[in-house]
Amino acid sequence: LGDPDGELLYEAFRTLPDACFGDEDSWPLFVRELLNIRAGERPVVTPRLGIYSEVLLGWNDDPTLLARRLQTILDHHLQSTRGQPGNPASFEEPGMLLYPAEVLAVRRIRADLELHMPKVEHVLMFSNLVQSAPRGPWPVDPLLTRIQHEHRRDIRNSGR
C-alpha cells in the first residue's frame, strides 16, 4: 500500500470474490476488506476473517481499544511465524517474520482516510523496518509502466 501506481492492483484485489480465498486466508481477506474501507464501502465481516474481524468491527471505536486489538493481531503475527512441514505459517516467510504488515496496512488506510491512528505498543512496532522512511521515489520498471499504459488504453477503448 502506498505505491502511487498500484491503484489498478488494489482495485483488482479489492474486487476478488470470496471463492478466491482459502480457509486459511484470513490475512489476505483482511487486506481486501481494508481496501473496501478505503474505497468507501463497508467491510464484509465474516468468521473467515478470524482475529482480524475485531479490528474491522472496532474501526470507529475508541482509539485505545483499536490499539489493543492491533496489539492482539501482532501477538497473533508472532505466533504465526512457525509452520509445520507441508503447512507453512502465515508469516513464516523471512521478509514477513518481523514486519508488522497488519498494523502498517491499517495505518496506511487510516492515513488515506485522514483518520487518527493510535500508537500501538508492541515489540514489532519498534523495529527498523517500521521506523525507516522510504528514500526517494518509488522504483519504476519500464516494462511494468508499458503494461500499465497498455491496460489503461485498453480500458478506455473498451468503453469501461
Side-chain angles (χ1 to χ4, degrees):
L1 298 171
D3 179 354
D5 293 322
E7 292 304 318
L8 289 173
L9 176 62
Y10 303 154
E11 185 61 19
F13 192 81
R14 186 183 75 76
T15 57
L16 287 174
D18 284 352
C20 290
F21 300 93
D23 292 336
E24 303 297 319
D25 288 338
S26 58
W27 160 236
L29 276 168
F30 179 61
V31 172
R32 184 189 69 180
E33 295 313 317
L34 288 175
L35 291 170
N36 279 327
I37 290 171
R38 182 177 176 259
E41 296 184 17
R42 293 182 61 137
V44 176
V45 180
T46 69
R48 292 180 65 198
L49 282 162
I51 195 166
Y52 300 107
S53 64
E54 293 299 318
V55 170
L56 297 174
L57 291 172
W59 188 257
N60 294 313
D61 284 352
D62 172 38
T64 305
L65 181 57
L66 179 59
R68 278 194 300 239
R69 288 175 173 167
L70 292 170
Q71 288 168 338
T72 301
I73 282 179
L74 291 181
D75 288 340
H76 171 75
H77 178 110
L78 288 175
Q79 294 166 2
S80 301
T81 57
R82 295 199 189 274
Q84 304 297 324
N87 187 21
S90 300
F91 300 106
E92 187 172 8
E93 187 178 315
M96 294 295 288
L97 282 173
L98 299 175
Y99 188 70
E102 308 93 317
V103 173
L104 296 178
V106 169
R107 178 194 288 175
R108 182 62 198 203
I109 299 300
R110 291 184 74 84
D112 288 350
L113 297 174
E114 299 179 0
L115 297 172
H116 170 71
M117 177 66 185
K119 183 173 182 169
V120 179
E121 298 285 343
H122 194 277
V123 67
L124 288 180
M125 295 304 293
F126 296 101
S127 74
N128 289 340
L129 296 171
V130 175
Q131 304 301 324
S132 301
R135 294 186 189 136
W138 277 86
V140 176
D141 181 295
L143 176 59
L144 179 59
T145 302
R146 279 197 351 247
I147 291 170
Q148 288 173 328
H149 288 297
E150 291 293 321
H151 181 69
R152 287 185 189 115
R153 190 194 65 187
D154 290 347
I155 289 173
R156 280 193 306 271
N157 291 340
S158 70
R160 282 194 264 168

